[in-house]
Amino acid sequence: MNLQMQNIGHSYEDLQVLDGIDLHIDEGQIVCIVGPSGCGKSTLLRLIGGLEVADSGTVLMDGEPPESCLNPLTYVFQDFALLPWRTVEKNISLVLEDHPLSPAARATIIDDVLRRTHLSEFKDVFPRQLSGGMKQRVAIARALAVKPAVMLMDEPLSALDSQTRELLMEDLVDLWGRERFTAVYVTHNLSEAVRLGHRIVVLSRRPGRICEVVDIDTPLDQRDTANPELAQKVKILWQLLHDEARAADRELANV
Amino acid sequence: MSEQPPSPASPPRPTPHPVPFRGGGFNPRPLGIVGPLVFVGLIGLWELGSQTGVIGALFLPAPSEAFAALNELFQSGFLWKHLSASLQRLAMGWSLGSLAGVLVGLSIGLFSLARAGLVPVVSALFPIPKIALLPLFIIWFGIGEGSKVATLFFGSFFPTVIATYGGVDAVDRGLIRMGQSFNLSWLSIVRKIVLPGALPAILSGCRISASIAIILLVAAEMIGAEFGVGAYILLAGNLMAMDQLIAGVVLLSSMGLIVAFLIGKAERRLLRWRR
Ligand SMILES: Nc1ncnc2c1ncn2[C@@H]1O[C@H](COP(=O)(O)OP(=O)(O)O)[C@@H](O)[C@H]1O
Ligand SMILES: [Mg+2]
């Protein structure tokens, strides 16, 4: 299933946040969206997943999601959004309970996603006992449990320290290698974007407009930090973003 | 070395010494036996004062006399009569009031219409001392159990409403959004996200409403009841039987402690996830 955004614009009261976004998300690709903070990245992601309705323009689902898919557009949030009163297992079970699945089928799915995210031994643990990185792994496992057609990831690694971030990036690269999932991955971190994105979309400062789309052809599993081509891409992206970020930084908050 | 400013008589360098510790205090530790010790000590002093005549027998009876009165009450079989009358009223009024309070508080938290319509009413009725309405309740529900239970009901209803909708308002919107993003049904979101999220606030509301209910219980029983701890205390006061009065107060104190203990236990069980 592909996603098509057509001429999306959005405002909060008289604050225009997004303007004229046209974008295609192709199946099996990770599309990274980068931009200065406050430029509307999270807003765009909420519009894509149907948590808010755009003032203008539409988001189209092109093609049917696979038969087994329980929740085509599935989020991974920056703050994990795990229920603190449920164990790891029950947090994942939460998103399956509203579907007509037998308890055995549910248990199979839970065991499967826990195994794929290397969490099996943490089944009965409460979120507060887990490190940030493990919490985000649980959130990713929960997203995988509903077999999404597209994962919508809003700065999933931004709340983590840089070493944990590195580890999780490796896990995501592995996961993509095995499952070829489709994702829209919002981040403000250029090296994250360059490590994970097949396509990188650079937004301008608010109101967010697409100012550049950069494709990276290097396969994900060959993108180590020493790769000079990637360093070059980061440099280009930073040149694009530098002035926007500076201007955005000097803007007054109007909330 | 050459950069040191030339000082006329350079003072001798002090010998190296450890950095002094200044991070102590402001960290209360549990000291298990201190509480009971203070309690026993106070009662011992009081008994001593009464025995030696420092505390006059009419002014305040000795703890041993109050205990004797309590024992006498127990022997006569009236202890159970008073206690069961009080506990029944408390259980009925408080549990119904809290249950209704949780339901109304939830609907205020969830529905804009309920919020707009009910919050002003709740704010207007909450500060009224419910005991002032007892005469009205007597007209409405009769002089018997009805009026007393109604007093407790309304006494525990309003604090629970306020605690509950405060708790619902404080539930992390991000979690609700997560539920919506996974297509959970409205009922699932309320049952599995909103209610557990509001539970800590609801339970502390229960704590408050339970102590309000005990206060109202005594007051209501003092106004018109044959049996009940409040009636027992009132009668003792009228007869100037200070030992019985103290015995009644001890009963009230134990009731309060037991209720607090039970709620604490429920909190530890239901909020295990918090630690
Ligand atoms: N629900 C909202 N109501 C009003 N303003 C909002 C809301 N959500 C976001 N904004 C504003 O929209 C702008 C873009 O926000 P956001 O999409 O979160 O930016 P980003 O994720 O790129 O940092 C910000 O200025 C923010 O203050
Ligand atoms: Mg954001």
Side-chain angles (χ1 to χ4, degrees):
Chain A
M1 189 184 82
N2 301 337
L3 283 180
Q4 291 177 15
M5 279 151 255
Q6 292 178 346
N7 195 27
I8 297 215
H10 195 66
S11 312
Y12 290 112
E13 272 111 57
D14 39 3
L15 179 74
Q16 195 179 13
V17 177
L18 290 168
D19 185 29
I21 305 278
D22 279 300
L23 190 62
H24 284 238
I25 312 290
D26 294 330
E27 195 171 323
Q29 275 206 337
I30 300 180
V31 175
C32 287
I33 298 181
V34 296
S37 85
C39 76
K41 304 183 292 296
S42 300
T43 307
L44 180 59
L45 211 60
R46 287 197 296 272
L47 297 175
I48 297 176
L51 286 178
E52 276 176 48
V53 178
D55 287 348
S56 63
T58 43
V59 184
L60 298 177
M61 293 160 87
D62 175 15
E64 281 296 305
E67 193 73 31
S68 61
C69 170
L70 298 176
N71 189 41
L73 304 174
T74 298
Y75 285 88
V76 174
F77 299 94
Q78 179 176 355
D79 61 357
F80 324 127
L82 300 175
L83 301 184
W85 48 86
R86 283 184 174 233
T87 59
V88 167
E89 181 188 9
K90 297 285 180 210
N91 259 292
I92 298 173
S93 150
L94 173 82
V95 301
L96 300 172
E97 286 163 11
D98 279 12
H99 294 282
L101 292 168
S102 70
R106 205 179 295 152
T108 313
I109 296 178
I110 294 173
D111 286 340
D112 178 49
V113 293
L114 286 178
R115 194 174 36 72
R116 275 150 65 196
T117 45
H118 313 291
L119 285 168
S120 301
E121 58 203 286
F122 298 99
K123 214 170 161 175
D124 297 318
V125 158
F126 282 102
R128 72 174 151 79
Q129 296 168 277
L130 294 171
S131 68
M134 295 308 274
K135 283 184 198 156
Q136 195 56 288
R137 283 190 179 87
V138 176
I140 291 170
R142 178 178 62 186
L144 293 175
V146 291
K147 306 198 171 66
V150 180
M151 288 223 261
L152 306 173
M153 311 176 90
D154 191 359
E155 311 219 13
L157 307 186
S158 295
L160 308 177
D161 63 77
S162 59
Q163 289 135 31
T164 315
R165 195 179 304 166
E166 197 62 37
L167 292 176
L168 247 106
M169 269 196 275
E170 285 171 18
D171 286 5
L172 283 174
V173 169
D174 272 358
L175 194 68
W176 189 85
R178 281 183 274 131
E179 330 211 338
R180 308 276 145 155
F181 60 86
T182 314
V184 183
Y185 187 109
V186 165
T187 178
H188 63 256
N189 183 321
L190 293 181
S191 60
E192 241 173 86
V194 168
R195 274 289 289 287
L196 294 170
H198 297 99
R199 164 171 286 187
I200 297 172
V201 178
V202 183
L203 292 189
S204 67
R205 69 173 187 268
R206 193 178 59 225
R209 299 188 180 95
I210 295 180
C211 63
E212 189 74 50
V213 177
V214 179
D215 285 305
I216 303 185
D217 300 325
T218 320
L220 287 194
D221 52 4
Q222 289 166 28
R223 296 188 187 178
D224 52 84
T225 28
N227 189 327
E229 193 192 336
L230 295 188
Q232 186 59 31
K233 293 278 187 197
V234 171
K235 206 164 160 191
I236 294 172
L237 287 169
W238 176 234
Q239 271 162 10
L240 282 168
L241 267 178
H242 179 274
D243 296 337
E244 298 290 334
R246 166 143 310 198
D249 197 33
R250 296 179 61 85
E251 246 158 47
L252 291 176
N254 49 354
V255 270
Chain B
M1 290 297 143
S2 58
E3 260 140 75
Q4 259 182 12
S7 52
S10 83
R13 239 169 101 182
T15 50
H17 56 284
V19 175
F21 171 65
R22 31 187 188 160
F26 301 102
N27 184 21
R29 291 167 292 142
L31 295 174
I33 58 160
V34 173
L37 269 185
V38 169
F39 205 67
V40 169
L42 275 179
I43 292 183
L45 272 180
W46 174 9
E47 181 71 41
L48 196 74
S50 298
Q51 298 290 353
T52 55
V54 177
I55 303 173
L58 275 179
F59 183 69
L60 192 65
S64 54
E65 286 173 45
F67 183 75
L70 201 58
N71 193 32
E72 189 187 315
L73 188 64
F74 176 70
Q75 300 292 350
S76 67
F78 277 104
L79 174 67
W80 182 237
K81 248 189 167 130
H82 289 302
L83 263 186
S84 66
S86 288
L87 288 178
Q88 266 172 35
R89 289 166 191 147
L90 191 64
M92 279 266 278
W94 176 75
S95 55
L96 290 180
S98 299
L99 189 69
V102 168
L103 291 179
V104 171
L106 260 184
S107 46
I108 290 179
L110 293 172
F111 306 113
S112 309
L113 186 63
R115 175 175 305 242
L118 293 177
V119 168
V121 181
V122 169
S123 316
L125 296 183
F126 175 51
I128 303 175
K130 300 302 167 300
I131 198 68
L133 300 178
L134 185 61
L136 200 60
F137 292 152
I138 290 178
I139 295 173
W140 290 351
F141 304 108
I143 184 84
E145 295 305 298
S147 54
K148 297 179 188 64
V149 170
T151 312
L152 299 201
F153 177 92
F154 287 108
S156 21
F157 175 75
F158 290 102
T160 313
V161 170
I162 290 174
T164 305
Y165 86 73
V168 173
D169 287 353
V171 173
D172 185 353
R173 296 293 117 171
L175 293 181
I176 294 178
R177 200 151 246 194
M178 180 276 291
Q180 292 175 321
S181 81
F182 280 96
N183 267 341
L184 300 198
S185 67
W186 182 86
L187 203 64
S188 282
I189 292 180
V190 172
R191 263 185 40 223
K192 298 170 186 171
I193 300 179
V194 175
L195 256 184
L199 196 59
I202 294 177
L203 285 175
S204 57
C206 282
R207 222 178 240 289
I208 293 170
S209 70
S211 32
I212 292 179
I214 292 180
I215 294 171
L216 288 177
L217 171 73
V218 177
E221 287 177 344
M222 283 182 160
I223 290 179
E226 192 181 350
F227 293 109
V229 180
Y232 174 75
I233 292 179
L234 185 72
L235 188 67
N238 288 345
L239 298 175
M240 293 293 279
M242 290 304 157
D243 50 346
Q244 291 180 12
L245 192 141
I246 299 288
V249 170
V250 168
L251 284 181
L252 285 180
S253 166
S254 346
M255 258 161 68
L257 284 177
I258 289 170
V259 168
F261 171 78
L262 290 178
I263 292 179
K265 221 168 160 63
E267 269 178 352
R268 272 194 299 283
R269 242 189 97 76
L270 293 172
L271 307 181
R272 215 174 5 176
W273 49 273
R274 289 210 299 196
R275 150 191 352 263

